[in-house]
Amino acid sequence: WESPITASFITDAGVGLGGASVGPASGDLYWLERRPKEGGRSVLCRRAPDDETASERGAVDITPAGTNIRTRVHEYGGKSHTIAKDVAADGSTSEFVVYANFADQRLYKLTVGTSADPVELTPKSAYEEDGRYRFGDFVVDEKRNRLLCVREDHTKPEPANVVNTIVSVALDGSGQMEVLASGSDFYAAPRVSPDGSKLAFITWEHPSMPWDVTRLCVLDLDAPPGAEPTVVAGGGGDTPG
């Protein structure tokens, strides 16, 4: 007897939910849906139960059809999108999302609530090869109108030659990038201070894992280019908790 309840029947029916966040301007709830029936792609959704196009989960899709929000930073992925507030000259506010698209590992900026196409933040004019860089753990530096994130450089794809840094990425689609922190094997969790003056992040070295030995570092964002971060915790066998 062949059961009609197959493995694909079970997995296709289950939409994975994660990455919940609240819009900084609207207060709306956003989340990621991983959809087995759409090839497992991850879609950013916004809660809108009264919208006539809302799904059975009371949400509308924000990212375009075919987009798959996922980053390959550290191979197992990382934070693959962020939602930020935009303030217009007249003082009105809106929201935009920056995300990594899995197919090309490039960054895109999409203004929520408009029909405009996403702006490619890392276009081919900046570098030709898809996947040369991978990006993750995003945070917007509102004071300087730029994205801050972890970048993996796969120009030389052998694992021993992959270079990890923390960089800034312009939000205007120019593809301009600046390395803010370098020299360690791995970086994670960049966060901007409430006053916008400093950047905190975690770093560690091979062969340690992030639960073995890490360092918590702080970088002055107003310091001249090339300034070294300050280690404020960890190292020597410790991991900041």
Side-chain angles (χ1 to χ4, degrees):
W1 174 70
E2 184 176 348
S3 173
I5 304 176
T6 62
S8 61
F9 174 85
I10 295 172
T11 56
D12 286 352
V15 172
L17 305 179
S21 58
V22 175
S26 65
D28 291 342
L29 177 64
Y30 293 81
W31 64 83
L32 287 177
E33 292 187 1
R34 188 158 192 178
R35 299 174 176 171
K37 289 187 177 180
E38 298 180 30
R41 76 182 185 103
S42 291
V43 182
L44 181 66
C45 302
R46 176 174 58 86
R47 186 176 185 273
D50 296 329
D51 192 293
E52 61 181 13
T53 64
S55 69
E56 61 183 4
R57 292 170 294 281
V60 295
D61 291 0
I62 298 300
T63 43
T67 297
N68 184 4
I69 298 183
R70 181 181 167 193
T71 176
R72 294 185 63 190
V73 162
H74 302 160
E75 291 299 342
Y76 51 78
K79 186 181 180 184
S80 55
H81 77 285
T82 190
I83 301 168
K85 178 173 66 175
D86 199 10
V87 181
D90 62 2
S92 61
T93 60
S94 60
E95 290 172 343
F96 64 90
V97 55
V98 176
Y99 61 88
N101 186 46
F102 183 67
D104 55 19
Q105 288 298 294
R106 294 182 186 269
L107 298 179
Y108 296 82
K109 176 187 175 185
L110 177 65
T111 300
V112 177
T114 71
S115 58
D117 292 334
V119 175
E120 193 170 358
L121 298 183
T122 51
K124 287 188 178 292
S125 59
Y127 58 94
E128 185 66 26
E129 312 92 334
D130 288 346
R132 175 178 176 180
Y133 295 117
R134 301 174 184 177
F135 305 89
D137 279 346
F138 308 126
V139 62
V140 171
D141 180 1
E142 296 181 3
K143 185 176 179 180
R144 299 163 188 82
N145 193 35
R146 60 184 182 175
L147 180 77
L148 308 181
C149 61
V150 176
R151 185 185 75 180
E152 281 187 358
D153 184 348
H154 287 256
T155 302
K156 297 180 180 179
E158 299 81 7
N161 295 323
V162 173
V163 178
N164 290 279
T165 55
I166 289 183
V167 301
S168 66
V169 181
L171 290 173
D172 59 4
S174 65
Q176 181 179 354
M177 292 183 275
E178 178 186 356
V179 175
L180 302 180
S182 61
S184 288
D185 292 333
F186 298 100
Y187 292 87
R191 299 293 184 268
V192 178
S193 62
D195 65 358
S197 66
K198 293 179 173 57
L199 178 71
F201 55 89
I202 298 292
T203 182
W204 69 98
E205 312 299 334
H206 179 79
S208 295
M209 299 299 285
W211 51 84
D212 294 327
V213 180
T214 61
R215 295 181 298 274
L216 173 62
C217 301
V218 174
L219 178 68
D220 185 348
L221 291 174
D222 294 319
E228 291 294 323
T230 300
V231 178
V232 298
D238 296 327
T239 295

